[in-house]
Amino acid sequence: MRFNHLDLNLLVALDVLLEEQNITRAAERLHMTQSATSGVLGRLRTYFEDELLVQVGRKMQPTPFALELVHPVREVLLTIKSSITAKPVFAPTTSKRHFRLVTSDYLISVLFAQVIQKIHQEAPNITFEMLGPGDNSGELLIRGEVDLMIVPERYIIEGHPSKLLFEEEHVCVVWQGNTLVGDSLTLEQYMDMGHVSVGFGRSRHMSIEEWFMNQYGFNRRLEVITNDFNTLPQLVVGTQRIATMHQRLARLYAEYLPLRILPPPVRIPVMREFMLWHRSVDGDPMHRWLRERISEFIQHLEQDHIAARDTSHPESRLAK
């Protein structure tokens, strides 16, 4: 298919070339030989009258014009995928769609393991791939390479739809044998203790360090940094350390590990978890069905959470 003398099949190759900036890797993704991929790049250069990618040392770098093409080319391909080539079939019971979700291990443990079980009852052939958060998670959504992100509010991407799923409190967790604190915690005690925290991505972004710095002008003393939320409570057992973590996950692990849950010494802002998706799939029937089911199931789980918190865990009310 051609448009204004441009073979639209070349846009797929251009998208890959601009992302990889490497002939060998682009050829592998396009299932082409390196020489054929180089030929495609030559045709693109002729059409756009620009080098697009130039060799600088051992690497290829995009020209200024190529950088301007990255976003519109990706948007065109996503539009074609969602509105022209995608079949508007809505049959959850027989659908074999594969959905890729970006979400943390914390959310999988406290919510999404149950949500996926529920969805399986209505759509047994739907499959899921769960990706952990990283430095490029937002870029994956923008490029249409993931279907949904379930992330805190600060990661919402402007221009793409989102929906609030639930709110979460933070609590402090210590080993039952911890002798540094009793049933309550002062800010001075909190700051003097060694902390276990989570760091994500190459930047090792910490979940609440920036807030503590802005609010109090200092950071916690981090003695252990792990790469997922589920190991936080495990790493305080048998130590005098403390972890600040999501209330739901703390309650879950307190049922199996010798832990004490304490209210934080300061009011930590409520965390708001959002579901967001690329605007190009906003009207996709199966995608919309999945979003609605996730939202409905989480609302039911929220009601159970509130009831359990108010009747069985008075320390959680203190955390408020």
Side-chain angles (χ1 to χ4, degrees), residues 148-220:
L148 288 171
M149 287 177 61
I150 296 88
V151 290
E153 185 173 13
R154 65 179 177 272
Y155 295 112
I156 286 179
I157 301 172
E158 185 178 355
H160 295 282
S162 62
K163 181 177 182 179
L164 175 66
L165 288 179
F166 68 96
E167 296 182 342
E168 177 69 292
E169 302 275 358
H170 282 82
V171 295
C172 294
V173 173
V174 297
W175 175 45
Q176 282 185 356
N178 191 308
T179 58
L180 296 181
V181 295
D183 295 329
S184 62
L185 189 66
T186 67
L187 180 58
E188 183 178 7
Q189 287 175 314
Y190 183 82
M191 298 309 299
D192 285 342
M193 294 177 71
H195 290 252
V196 181
S197 188
V198 178
F200 291 110
R202 292 188 300 271
S203 62
R204 308 303 295 169
H205 175 75
M206 305 296 169
S207 55
I208 59 175
E209 298 312 309
E210 183 178 352
W211 178 83
F212 264 105
M213 175 59 73
N214 293 337
Q215 193 77 8
Y216 296 101
F218 51 78
N219 289 321
R220 300 177 297 169

Side-chain angles (χ1 to χ4, degrees), residues 106-169:
Y106 140 70
L107 282 169
I108 293 173
S109 295
V110 302
L111 289 175
F112 269 87
Q114 300 173 69
V115 168
I116 289 177
Q117 290 174 16
K118 294 286 188 181
I119 290 175
H120 178 73
Q121 295 172 9
E122 298 185 24
N125 298 312
I126 285 179
T127 57
F128 293 93
E129 182 178 354
M130 315 297 276
L131 306 176
D135 295 327
N136 68 333
S137 295
E139 183 63 26
L140 290 176
L141 183 99
I142 292 172
R143 292 186 56 80
E145 295 179 17
V146 296
D147 294 283
L148 288 171
M149 287 177 61
I150 296 88
V151 290
E153 185 173 13
R154 65 179 177 272
Y155 295 112
I156 286 179
I157 301 172
E158 185 178 355
H160 295 282
S162 62
K163 181 177 182 179
L164 175 66
L165 288 179
F166 68 96
E167 296 182 342
E168 177 69 292
E169 302 275 358

Side-chain angles (χ1 to χ4, degrees), residues 43 58 62 64 71 81 85 87 97-98 103 128-129 160 189 191 213 219 231-232 243 260-261 290 310 312:
R43 292 169 63 189
R58 295 184 177 181
H71 181 70
K81 176 182 176 182
T85 62
K87 297 179 180 178
R97 285 279 291 272
H98 179 71
T103 187
F128 293 93
E129 182 178 354
H160 295 282
Q189 287 175 314
M191 298 309 299
M213 175 59 73
N219 289 321
T231 51
L232 281 177
R260 280 189 288 146
I261 300 176
L290 177 64
D310 292 343
S312 304

Side-chain angles (χ1 to χ4, degrees), residues 44-55:
L44 287 165
R45 284 168 169 167
T46 299
Y47 180 84
F48 288 107
E49 298 181 351
D50 186 90
E51 284 298 297
L52 299 177
L53 292 168
V54 294
Q55 196 75 34

Side-chain angles (χ1 to χ4, degrees), residues 287-303:
H287 201 284
R288 183 172 59 245
W289 177 87
L290 177 64
R291 300 193 306 264
E292 291 173 351
R293 287 296 178 268
I294 289 175
S295 182
E296 290 172 6
F297 293 148
I298 287 181
Q299 286 179 18
H300 290 312
L301 291 171
E302 268 290 271
Q303 294 171 1

